[in-house]
Amino acid sequence: GIEDVTKLFEKQLITLGFSAIKPKKGDTFDPNKHIAVGTEDGPSGKIVKVYQIGIGHEGKIMRAAEVSVGKN
């Protein structure tokens, strides 16, 4: 179904040099890879919530991941 098509598409993008930027809750905020779209209660400088993954191509950031960052 749709999941198989998505996996096939992602594999094809990898062969073309694209990569996903997938931050996780608790990762350290990196302004080179992430865009802070807001702040929330949580550990200062750590990612609290991920809104959208980012995309890289051959080592360059095409779209940064959108995240919320802790403010405590």
Side-chain angles (χ1 to χ4, degrees):
I2 190 75
E3 292 155 358
D4 293 332
V5 172
T6 301
K7 288 178 185 177
L8 182 62
F9 182 68
E10 288 175 350
K11 286 181 183 179
Q12 193 63 26
L13 288 175
I14 290 169
T15 62
L16 295 172
F18 288 91
S19 60
I21 300 168
K22 297 181 180 179
K24 296 180 184 113
K25 183 178 178 180
D27 286 352
T28 300
F29 176 76
D30 180 350
N32 297 311
K33 297 180 185 176
H34 310 127
I35 293 176
V37 294
T39 58
E40 296 184 26
D41 289 335
S44 182
K46 299 289 184 180
I47 294 173
V48 177
K49 192 173 192 180
V50 178
Y51 294 100
Q52 186 172 30
I53 65 169
I55 298 174
H57 183 256
E58 297 179 350
K60 296 179 182 173
I61 305 299
M62 305 303 290
R63 181 180 72 203
E66 295 180 3
V67 300
S68 283
V69 181
K71 62 179 178 177
N72 289 342

